[in-house]
Amino acid sequence: MKSVVISGTGLFTPPYSISNDELVTAFNAYAERFNADNAARIAAGEVAAIEPSSSAFIEKASGIKSRYVMEKSGILDPARMTPRIPERGDDELSLQAEMCVAAARQALDRAGRTPSDIDMVLVACSNMQRAYPAMAVEVQEALGIDGYGFDMNVACSSATFGIQTAAAAVQSGQARAVLVLNPEITSGHLNFRDRDSHFIFGDACTAMVIEAADTATSHHQFEIVESKLKTKFSNNIRNNFGFMNRFDEAGIGQPDKLFRQQGRKVFKEVCPMAAEMIADTVKAAGLQLPQVSRYWLHQANLNMNLLIARTLLGRDAEPNEAPVILDTYANTSSAGSIIAFHKYQDDMPAGSYGVICSFGAGYSIGCVVVRKK
């Protein structure tokens, strides 16, 4: 079967960063106001008081210290706690497409490619900013790519599922090269008034050029050696927002229309699934775990990654074995493992192996074994 490589990666980082302290100040101001306004109902047991958050709590629970966002002031306004991003006209480039174009240009540059070399654009992420037309087709138009594009949503595993989909398109001859994009505006679906999750997410966009090895010319090539995908239905991570919202007015604006999860269940169930998936994929690649020198894991929670690495290695991973970007980017959904891959790949010697692994809502797990060329 035709050998396929990831020949270039790109990253768009939003212009604003929010520290834990800034986020906690806004949340606690909201909580204090809520508790004061509902003092009588709280005393009567009709409403639960909101506990304050703290930077120490956030870092202990997640390993997150800050996050990047597309807009900051609205999030930090206790009376709003939602980004302020004006709608754009239909004749303007969409915000999500703008993020994609920025990341794509970097990936194309590292791959030594131009838009004329790309036949397929795949936008794979947790949330699209609209139903149609497809974000991928808008990005295709903005970059001047002659070919086809479509969108894909497999939540936090969208990037790894996208890699496999792109590789299959190259192997089948449908495309010479594919541009895979992961634009995550996670601040749009995060409930900044929920103490258990208000700190989890950040915004970012990653990009990858995937093409046939026999035509690739870049100095940043990673051969896709093996990949495995798995889904198993679970309600433990869920968002009920959708076009059917308007059918029942009682549901509009309710907390279930934003991100929510049962964190303890997710931790307990997903960690062993991810570790097993990695081990199986490495074995299918004809390798032993000690031959893998780097793990670019989904950046959702530091404690999850530490446990997965410990399960695989039988010890704590060294920082360069399982690099962390979670502390400054937070959970960027599908982009997280690719941010880690993008930032921590150039020092690897030729012939070394690594694993890109994502896991999240669905449940969905994607695992890709790569070899530095």
Side-chain angles (χ1 to χ4, degrees):
M1 187 170 292
K2 182 184 295 186
S3 179
V4 178
V5 298
I6 302 172
S7 59
T9 55
L11 169 63
F12 168 79
T13 299
Y16 306 103
S17 179
I18 299 178
S19 69
N20 285 348
D21 286 347
E22 290 176 293
L23 199 65
V24 164
T25 296
F27 177 85
N28 287 350
Y30 160 74
E32 184 177 349
R33 181 181 303 175
F34 177 91
N35 291 342
D37 291 345
N38 293 275
R41 298 181 66 196
I42 291 171
E46 299 173 359
V47 175
I50 298 178
E51 293 182 47
S53 188
S54 72
S55 294
F57 159 70
I58 292 173
E59 191 167 347
K60 181 179 180 181
S62 66
I64 296 169
K65 299 178 181 178
S66 61
R67 71 285 297 144
Y68 291 98
V69 293
M70 294 302 292
E71 201 282 328
K72 181 173 181 176
S73 65
I75 294 170
L76 297 182
D77 180 354
R80 178 179 175 85
M81 302 186 81
T82 302
R84 291 188 180 95
I85 301 178
E87 286 195 8
R88 298 182 179 184
D90 290 353
D91 58 346
E92 297 178 273
L93 187 65
S94 302
L95 179 63
Q96 205 164 30
E98 181 181 291
M99 296 168 69
C100 285
V101 168
R105 293 197 189 284
Q106 186 179 26
L108 288 166
D109 182 64
R110 282 177 63 87
R113 293 301 180 194
T114 67
S116 64
D117 297 313
I118 305 297
D119 292 328
M120 170 182 161
V121 178
L122 174 57
V123 171
C125 61
S126 289
N127 295 280
M128 304 296 171
Q129 73 172 72
R130 61 168 183 264
Y132 44 79
M135 297 306 306
V137 179
E138 183 178 8
V139 174
Q140 177 193 348
E141 176 74 10
L143 290 171
I145 292 171
D146 182 22
Y148 65 101
F150 60 93
D151 297 342
M152 170 189 290
N153 180 348
V154 202
C156 292
S157 289
S158 295
T160 49
F161 277 63
I163 291 172
Q164 169 57 32
T165 303
V170 172
Q171 288 171 332
S172 70
Q174 287 289 324
R176 294 168 299 160
V178 182
L179 188 58
V180 178
L181 302 155
N182 319 111
E184 295 288 6
I185 311 177
T186 61
S187 55
H189 77 143
L190 180 54
N191 186 351
F192 289 99
R193 293 174 173 166
D194 176 21
R195 180 181 181 272
D196 291 335
S197 66
H198 75 110
F199 54 86
I200 290 178
F201 289 104
D203 300 337
C205 180
T206 48
M208 293 173 282
V209 174
I210 295 174
E211 60 179 309
D214 58 8
T215 60
T217 60
S218 88
H219 301 296
H220 308 285
Q221 295 180 47
F222 281 81
E223 179 187 2
I224 298 171
V225 179
E226 184 64 67
S227 63
K228 284 186 178 295
L229 311 175
K230 182 179 180 64
T231 54
K232 178 179 174 61
F233 185 74
S234 170
N235 278 317
N236 290 333
I237 308 173
R238 190 169 178 122
N239 182 334
N240 286 331
F241 181 75
F243 68 90
M244 291 175 62
N245 247 184
R246 63 196 291 262
F247 292 2
D248 182 358
E249 292 79 2
I252 296 175
Q254 294 302 308
D256 73 311
K257 305 307 184 292
L258 296 170
F259 168 85
R260 58 196 172 103
Q261 70 169 353
Q262 298 184 52
R264 288 185 177 85
K265 288 185 178 181
V266 172
F267 189 99
K268 182 179 179 180
E269 295 173 4
V270 170
C271 286
M273 289 173 61
E276 181 181 8
M277 184 78 158
I278 291 172
D280 288 348
T281 311
V282 170
K283 183 178 180 181
L287 303 172
Q288 301 292 323
L289 286 171
Q291 293 177 265
V292 177
S293 59
R294 190 155 299 173
Y295 295 90
W296 299 284
L297 301 177
H298 173 46
Q299 305 285 310
N301 181 288
L302 180 59
N303 296 315
M304 292 182 76
N305 286 12
L306 292 174
L307 177 58
I308 292 168
R310 194 178 302 122
T311 301
L312 291 167
L313 302 175
R315 57 173 172 79
D316 291 337
E318 297 294 331
N320 67 328
E321 289 181 298
V324 174
I325 56 89
L326 175 76
D327 52 345
T328 54
Y329 277 82
N331 182 347
T332 51
S333 193
S334 67
S337 59
I338 309 304
I339 296 174
F341 177 55
H342 173 75
K343 285 181 169 286
Y344 295 94
Q345 61 168 255
D346 289 345
D347 64 317
M348 295 179 68
S352 55
Y353 292 93
V355 171
I356 304 170
C357 183
S358 61
F359 38 87
Y363 294 132
S364 59
I365 302 178
C367 191
V368 183
V369 176
V370 296
R371 182 178 67 87
K372 180 73 175 287
K373 296 198 70 176

